[in-house]
Amino acid sequence: MSKLITRRGLVGAFAAGAGSLLAGCDRLGDDPTFRKGLLFRGDDWNRSLQRLLSNRDAPAREYRPDQMSPVFRTNGTRDPGTPDYAAHVASNFVDWRIPVDGLVNRPTAFSVAQLRSMPLRAQITRHDCVEGWSAIGKWTGPRLATLLDVAGVKDSARYIVFHCADRLGRARRPYYESIDMVDALHPQTILALALNDRALSVGHGAPVRLRVERQLGYKHAKYVQRIEAVASLDGIAGGKGGYWEDVADYDWYAGI
Amino acid sequence: MATSEPADMAAPPQARPSSLVKRHGLATRIWHWVNAVTILVMLGSGLMILNAHPHLYWGQYGANFDRPWFNVSSVFEGGRVPGWLTIPSQYNLALARRWHLTFALILGFGLLLFMVAALANGHARAFRMRLRELAPRALLHDIREHLAFRFHDPADPTAFNILQKLAYVVLIFVLLPLVILTGLTMSPAMDAAWPWLLDLFGGRQSARSIHFIAAMSIAGFILVHLLLVVAAGPINGIRSMITGWWRVPGETP
């Protein structure tokens, strides 16, 4: 070994190399070409792979009552806080209507009472937040497929978009999310009216929130106010299919 | 199976006039450098993802009202992994996930390809351990040899010593598969596709904890690996991992 290259020097070089690699990652992560060419492709690759590896209707694990979280924490918007929403809370959501429209043959608006009178599905499932925590709770509500059936979704519809009553960020942008037809028609995809056998609290998305059990928490739109069937996500808000997707580059496919 | 690759280490070394021997096959060298980048990206982005919820739990569920077994705050002041260890260096969960979940595919499929290549070109035989090598006396002998900075058997200098075999077997057949499978267990869609994952690791939060422990073990392996490369002659070692050719120690050119 050359005398000019000392061991200490080499250890230092390794550390400096690792450090500059991390700094280089910052620059690469902000580079539009690298994002488009590799970094942001993983979203599609993972979705394709996971869909390939699983059955269309493969169910998420359902748990026993004794496996439920003692406390199910809230996240995201705790209270939309708009005058309009406050009025709905005051009247116990009797006037809350959820129109199902877009690419449907029979646009229909559903009241909370109508949803409650439909065949309900109860499921004890695990909620996985993108941050890493999990909570297990019991959700009850009609299948989304039932509503889509009533409205008669056209074959040209590829996505179902959920428009919500909460407003986020300084710009007070409306929350929205979207899923494709595979998840929309999945047997466990329900519009939850109750958590742990009690009507949804404001913190958990009263009166109606989406449960799409094979994806992370931010896909589970709360305060659902309108359901729209579309052929493409391009025309909606930022065009990436969801609030967090638009404002912070979260993956549209949140199965992982 | 015939390949164009020399069966590195399994076959007797092909001596050259200057005592250079072919040490690493092409598949090994490509995989090594791809991993050098990939694993650094995975560790950095993984630590950033941990920052989003810097607590670890055992069991099926775990969130703020449950009892964690580990908090980042017990290691780092402020309860967050500092920016010089994370990708990106500023808090950004979405971007860290993009790095982590894209490079996870490279890590996973790279391991799969390496395993296939190692079986095909005979490299897997280099890791074969004999029972007598695992005897306490043999292990102690090899530890003493390491402490004396003697890493190679003069009679067969390209062969792995038993500590090397153990380290690589644990890394390739235990830690890497473990980190990949526990990573998949954290995916709600994969839990639906492969429900046995949840049973194997005892729940998503247990899988998340094991994922972290396995990742830190891999980081520990890298640290020891780098130290030993330096101790055993870094120029020779790095050249052999780039070109494949390695100079037998103790011989001057």
Side-chain angles (χ1 to χ4, degrees):
Chain A
M1 190 167 83
S2 162
K3 288 267 155 44
L4 290 172
I5 303 160
T6 62
R7 281 169 189 167
R8 185 175 299 178
L10 267 159
V11 173
F14 274 129
S20 56
L21 205 139
L22 290 182
C25 285
D26 272 4
R27 216 165 317 143
L28 267 180
D30 292 333
D31 181 72
T33 317
F34 184 71
R35 284 184 171 202
K36 213 172 151 228
L38 178 68
L39 210 51
F40 285 26
R41 300 280 285 276
D43 189 9
D44 278 339
W45 292 338
N46 280 309
R47 178 178 51 80
S48 307
L49 259 173
Q50 294 200 342
R51 287 280 160 80
L52 199 71
L53 290 173
S54 64
N55 293 325
R56 205 182 159 91
D57 284 346
R61 169 72 49 97
E62 294 195 18
Y63 294 87
R64 299 186 309 268
D66 63 286
Q67 291 176 303
M68 282 163 46
S69 295
V71 182
F72 200 119
R73 65 164 281 189
T74 58
N75 200 29
T77 305
R78 263 79 169 187
D79 184 350
T82 61
D84 188 47
Y85 184 81
H88 280 296
V89 174
S91 65
N92 208 14
F93 301 103
V94 287
D95 298 320
W96 191 272
R97 294 290 180 277
I98 304 176
V100 178
D101 55 22
L103 296 174
V104 297
N105 292 316
R106 300 171 291 277
T108 314
F110 297 89
S111 70
V112 177
Q114 277 173 307
L115 295 184
R116 222 174 267 137
S117 67
M118 290 176 168
L120 302 181
R121 194 179 198 287
Q123 55 203 36
I124 300 176
T125 52
R126 198 186 66 233
H127 181 88
D128 296 328
C129 179
V130 66
E131 294 168 354
W133 53 268
S134 308
I136 297 176
K138 179 182 178 184
W139 303 93
T140 311
R143 284 184 59 187
L144 174 62
T146 308
L147 279 76
L148 298 181
D149 253 4
V150 173
V153 174
K154 293 181 180 169
D155 289 341
S156 53
R158 291 190 56 212
Y159 304 97
I160 302 296
V161 182
F162 302 85
H163 299 275
C164 305
D166 49 339
R167 305 282 176 269
L168 275 82
R170 232 169 282 150
R172 312 302 296 157
R173 291 164 72 155
Y175 197 86
Y176 81 104
E177 258 304 341
S178 60
I179 56 178
D180 63 10
M181 297 310 292
V182 173
D183 274 316
L185 301 177
H186 188 268
Q188 288 171 321
T189 299
I190 62 172
L191 291 166
L193 304 165
L195 168 61
N196 296 346
D197 294 321
R198 301 168 69 158
L200 279 190
S201 65
V202 168
H204 283 295
V208 175
R209 89 173 292 175
L210 174 68
R211 294 297 309 170
V212 47
E213 301 293 354
R214 295 185 298 184
Q215 298 212 36
L216 298 176
Y218 64 90
K219 301 299 283 189
H220 301 226
K222 304 201 279 191
Y223 319 106
V224 174
Q225 224 174 7
R226 179 185 164 210
I227 297 171
E228 184 188 10
V230 298
S232 157
L233 299 169
D234 290 343
I236 298 150
K240 292 182 187 162
Y243 173 81
W244 290 114
E245 290 89 326
D246 281 341
V247 305
D249 292 322
Y250 277 86
D251 305 78
W252 176 78
Y253 177 70
I256 184 165
Chain B
M1 182 172 169
T3 72
S4 56
E5 269 309 291
D8 53 7
M9 277 168 277
Q14 304 156 276
R16 265 188 172 185
S18 61
S19 261
L20 282 173
V21 292
K22 190 79 175 176
R23 183 132 201 236
H24 300 297
L26 184 65
T28 306
R29 283 179 276 146
I30 292 173
W31 190 55
H32 175 272
W33 292 113
V34 168
N35 272 352
V37 174
T38 304
I39 291 180
L40 216 61
V41 166
M42 295 308 281
L43 286 170
S45 56
L47 288 173
M48 171 55 79
I49 294 170
L50 179 67
N51 273 348
H53 188 79
H55 317 283
L56 295 173
Y57 312 86
W58 294 115
Q60 304 285 346
Y61 62 80
N64 303 56
F65 296 104
D66 307 308
R67 191 179 301 161
W69 67 268
F70 175 79
N71 297 297
V72 173
S73 61
S74 53
V75 181
F76 294 109
E77 238 175 282
R80 294 281 191 278
V81 180
W84 59 271
L85 276 172
T86 64
I87 296 175
S89 55
Q90 298 283 315
Y91 182 83
N92 190 331
L93 173 60
L95 203 53
R97 278 173 51 81
R98 297 276 188 173
W99 278 107
H100 205 76
L101 302 179
T102 300
F103 277 76
L105 294 170
I106 302 173
L107 183 75
F109 286 103
L111 177 67
L112 206 63
L113 286 175
F114 174 78
M115 284 177 165
V116 171
L119 283 175
N121 70 14
H123 184 29
R125 266 174 301 182
F127 300 104
R128 198 167 50 192
M129 284 177 260
R130 283 157 191 86
L131 216 53
R132 59 182 158 76
E133 290 182 288
L134 289 165
R137 260 182 55 190
L139 285 174
L140 270 173
H141 170 76
D142 200 33
I143 291 170
R144 272 198 301 270
E145 289 290 295
H146 271 82
L147 292 175
F149 281 46
R150 281 191 300 269
F151 305 114
H152 308 286
D153 179 357
D156 189 3
T158 60
F160 284 140
N161 58 57
I162 185 63
L163 291 187
Q164 271 178 309
K165 285 184 194 173
L166 279 172
Y168 288 121
V169 164
V170 168
L171 179 74
I172 295 170
F173 296 99
V174 180
L175 292 178
L176 287 176
L178 200 58
V179 91
I180 290 165
L181 288 175
T182 51
L184 288 175
T185 312
M186 285 188 268
S187 151
M190 284 313 296
D191 286 345
W194 295 348
W196 52 267
L197 284 170
L198 286 168
D199 302 317
L200 183 63
F201 296 114
R204 182 183 192 248
Q205 289 301 320
S206 290
R208 186 167 170 262
S209 292
I210 297 168
H211 191 73
F212 175 77
I213 293 168
M216 290 305 104
S217 309
I218 291 170
F221 166 87
I222 293 171
L223 226 62
V224 172
H225 172 65
L226 291 179
L227 285 173
L228 287 175
V229 166
V230 170
I235 303 296
N236 196 18
I238 292 169
R239 183 197 41 223
S240 75
M241 197 42 93
I242 294 171
T243 66
W245 293 97
W246 183 69
R247 191 182 309 287
V248 178
E251 297 177 34
T252 42

